[in-house]
Every structure is written in structure tokens, then in C-alpha cells.
């Protein structure tokens, strides 16, 4: 009898703790000064997802570089609006509310006490870590994120799906290829090219002027991918209409670089060990100390109870 592979859950950690911070009312630690709502919310999100999906392996994917310079070099507007206005001292510090920033080290400490793996990579965003770990995982993969960019990783054949938390963890959607097709009229494998043309204001990507979702989907249906669309725009016999042709040609400089920015990296040099989800905290004394210091007893108890049932 062949042993079935387990299930890997990849968390877009910043996406989750941002949502926890803004979605959970402010709660102060026993010291009365430090907020811990993002910490508590993230722990409860993990508890809920682990209880529902029962993953055998789990990784908290991390933004070691939230705005890699190589992406900025290609598209200078990339995430530019998210940079704090401390241009001389910290040109690439992400604008994060101070009450959230102080909670990030606490999150790292708690995850370490649990023995939950945290993985980041130099010059790479969490998206790139997720893309690498989801590709060739050899087991079903659930990607937890509120970021549409990761729809490009959906792969029914490899059993990779996205648990999309934009409306909240409790109201998340299971995104497979049929979901992407129904929502955007493109295949998941075409989503990166679709996003490149449509643009994404939240990432500072302008897109192709005059090309919205409907036109982008129509072009992909007719020409398969970005290379096919660019070739068709240059071919007077391709059947591409004069309007779309002019728009694609006018955006030639953008389209020469944007696909590389939008595409999630899938081949980072990452270790793939130590992902097993612990059934109990790796360092219970340290976890108890953190829970007492930061007032995390209830969320810690809830996560401990779920881990014990795995």
C-alpha cells in the first residue's frame, strides 16, 4: 500500500498579519503599552486554517526583501507608493504602522517557540518563496494569501490551489483553475500575462493604457500568451484589430520588462526540510514565557489544542 503524500500549507505571512492587525481590535499586552492584536490574530488564523485543512507541513513564507531592487530597476514605479517618505535615510522602508511594526519580532519569537518553519530569501519577496516551494512540491499545496498575484501558481494537475483571504480568513475562497476562469475568463497559467496588461495599482504597475480586464482576456484567448500577443501586434496579417494593436505597440517598452516583474520566481535556492507541522510546541517553556509576557494565553491554548489533534 503506497503512502499518500501529506499536504503543504504555505502562508503569505505578511498578508496575514496585516489583515490581523487591521481586522482585530487593538489589544494591549499586560505591560499596557505594546499592542498584540496582529500576533493574536495571526495565531488564530493559523489555528482556523490548520483545523480545517489538516496540513502535514506548514511554512510561514517571509518577505526578506519586500521590494527587490531588481524589480524596481525594471519598473521604477513598482511599489513606490508604499515607501515611507524618509527618502534620504531609508529609501526602501515599507510604510507599516508603528503599532504593527513592533509586533513583527513578537510574531517571529512565537513561531520559533512553536517550531513552525519561517523561510525567506535574499532579494526575494514572500511571493517568490511561495512560488519556489509550491513548484515541484511533490504533494498537494494550499497557498494562503490575500494577493491576487499568486493566482498564477494555481495548477490543478499538480494540486496547487490558493486559499484567498481577501474577504477574511473566515470567508476565504478556494481558488482553482475553474475559479480563475470563471472570474477573469483566462486560465490560471495566463494570469501573470493578464495582470501585466491590466496593471495593478496596489503594486505600482501601470499596465497597458486602454487595456482592461475584458480586452486582456480576449487577447489571451486569441494569442495564448504575451509573446503571442506582441508577435500578433507586429504582424499585419494576425487579425488583431487596429485599436489593440496600437495599444500593445505603444506599450512596447513596458511589456519588454513588466512580465519579469509580475512573474513569481519559482527556482530560488531554498532548503525544503523542516516543514513538518509540530504536534506540540518545540520549546514549551519559551512559549509559556512569551504567552505570559504578551498576554497570548488564549490564542496559544487554541493553537496547542488543534496541533495536538493532528
Amino acid at each position: 500500500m503506497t503512502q499518500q503524500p501529506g499536504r503543504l500549507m504555505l502562508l503569505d505571512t505578511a498578508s496575514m498579519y496585516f489583515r490581523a492587525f487591521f481586522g482585530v481590535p487593538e489589544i494591549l499586552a499586560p505591560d499596557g503599552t505594546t499592542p498584540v492584536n496582529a500576533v493574536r490574530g495571526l495565531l488564530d488564523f493559523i489555528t482556523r486554517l490548520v483545523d480545517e485543512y489538516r496540513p502535514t507541513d506548514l511554512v510561514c513564507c517571509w518577505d526578506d526583501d519586500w521590494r527587490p531592487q531588481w524589480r524596481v530597476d525594471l519598473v521604477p514605479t513598482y511599489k513606490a507608493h508604499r515607501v515611507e517618505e524618509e527618502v534620504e535615510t531609508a529609501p526602501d522602508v515599507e510604510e507599516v504602522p508603528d503599532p504593527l511594526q513592533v509586533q513583527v519580532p513578537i510574531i517571529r519569537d512565537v513561531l520559533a517557540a512553536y517550531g513552525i518553519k519561517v523561510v525567506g530569501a535574499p532579494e526575494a519577496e514572500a511571493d517568490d518563496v511561495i512560488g519556489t516551494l509550491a513548484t515541484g512540491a511533490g504533494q498537494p499545496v494550499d497557498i494562503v494569501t490575500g494577493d491576487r498575484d499568486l493566482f498564477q501558481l494555481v495548477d490543478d494537475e499538480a494540486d496547487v490551489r490558493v486559499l484567498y483571504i481577501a474577504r477574511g480568513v473566515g470567508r476565504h475562497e478556494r481558488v482553482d483553475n475553474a475559479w480563475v476562469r470563471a472570474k477573469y475568463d483566462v486560465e490560471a497559467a495566463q494570469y501573470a500575462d493578464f495582470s501585466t496588461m491590466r496593471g495593478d495599482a496596489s503594486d505600482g504597475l501601470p499596465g497597458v493604457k486602454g487595456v482592461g480586464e475584458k480586452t486582456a482576456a480576449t487577447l489571451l484567448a486569441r494569442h495564448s500568451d504575451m509573446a503571442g500577443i506582441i508577435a500578433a501586434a507586429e504582424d499585419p496579417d494576425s487579425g488583431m484589430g487596429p485599436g489593440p494593436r496600437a495599444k500593445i505597440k505603444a506599450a512596447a517598452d513596458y511589456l519588454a520588462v513588466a512580465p519579469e516583474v509580475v512573474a513569481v520566481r519559482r527556482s530560488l535556492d531554498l532548503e525544503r526540510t523542516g516543514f513538518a507541522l509540530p504536534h506540540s510546541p518545540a520549546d514549551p517553556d519559551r512559549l509559556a514565557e512569551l504567552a505570559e509576557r504578551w498576554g497570548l494565553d488564549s490564542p496559544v491554548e487554541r493553537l496547542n489544542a488543534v496541533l495536538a489533534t493532528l
Side-chain angles (χ1 to χ4, degrees), residues 7-12 15-16 19 45-46 48-50 52-55 58 130 141-148 150-151 154 160-176 179:
R7 178 169 288 276
L8 171 63
M9 180 170 282
L10 300 174
L11 306 185
D12 183 356
S15 176
M16 294 178 69
R19 289 173 197 284
F45 289 167
I46 293 173
R48 183 168 192 152
L49 291 162
V50 168
E52 182 168 355
Y53 291 100
R54 320 298 286 180
L58 185 144
I130 290 169
V141 178
D142 288 326
I143 298 166
V144 182
T145 186
D147 186 350
R148 294 181 299 177
L150 293 175
F151 292 169
V154 168
V160 177
R161 64 184 177 183
V162 167
L163 305 180
Y164 187 48
I165 61 171
R167 297 192 302 167
V169 171
R171 301 173 61 202
H172 70 269
E173 300 171 86
R174 298 184 184 95
V175 177
D176 57 11
W179 190 100

Side-chain angles (χ1 to χ4, degrees), residues 23-239:
V24 177
E26 184 178 80
I27 301 171
L28 296 179
D31 67 6
T33 62
T34 307
V36 291
N37 55 327
V39 186
R40 294 175 65 96
L42 178 63
L43 288 174
D44 280 339
F45 289 167
I46 293 173
T47 298
R48 183 168 192 152
L49 291 162
V50 168
D51 192 31
E52 182 168 355
Y53 291 100
R54 320 298 286 180
T56 54
D57 304 275
L58 185 144
V59 180
C60 285
C61 301
W62 211 263
D63 286 310
D64 276 14
D65 190 341
W66 71 278
R67 188 177 182 242
Q69 187 60 45
W70 64 268
R71 280 191 165 107
V72 177
D73 290 342
L74 292 170
V75 178
T77 58
Y78 183 66
K79 293 187 177 179
H81 60 296
R82 301 191 200 175
V83 178
E84 285 188 342
E85 296 191 5
E86 298 178 15
V87 180
E88 294 183 4
T89 58
D92 285 328
V93 173
E94 187 175 14
E95 189 173 6
V96 177
D98 288 341
L100 172 56
Q101 191 66 52
V102 298
Q103 298 183 62
V104 175
I106 304 172
I107 290 170
R108 292 294 298 255
D109 285 345
V110 172
L111 292 174
Y114 267 110
I116 293 175
K117 188 79 169 184
V118 174
V119 177
E123 299 182 354
E125 300 175 52
D127 287 7
D128 303 308
V129 173
I130 290 169
T132 297
L133 297 181
T135 301
Q139 61 186 143
V141 178
D142 288 326
I143 298 166
V144 182
T145 186
D147 186 350
R148 294 181 299 177
D149 289 344
L150 293 175
F151 292 169
Q152 64 186 273
L153 298 175
V154 168
D155 185 339
D156 289 358
E157 186 174 341
D159 203 358
V160 177
R161 64 184 177 183
V162 167
L163 305 180
Y164 187 48
I165 61 171
R167 297 192 302 167
V169 171
R171 301 173 61 202
H172 70 269
E173 300 171 86
R174 298 184 184 95
V175 177
D176 57 11
N177 194 63
W179 190 100
V180 174
R181 192 187 308 116
K183 180 77 171 176
Y184 300 108
D185 203 24
V186 298
E187 304 301 314
Q190 297 174 308
Y191 187 83
D193 288 340
F194 172 80
S195 181
T196 297
M197 287 187 285
R198 176 198 61 198
D200 190 338
S202 68
D203 280 340
L205 296 170
V208 175
K209 187 175 181 179
V211 173
E213 291 191 354
K214 186 174 180 180
T215 300
T218 299
L219 289 171
L220 286 166
R222 293 176 179 171
H223 307 291
S224 299
D225 56 21
M226 187 61 66
I229 291 168
I230 293 172
E234 298 294 335
D235 180 1
D237 299 321
S238 67

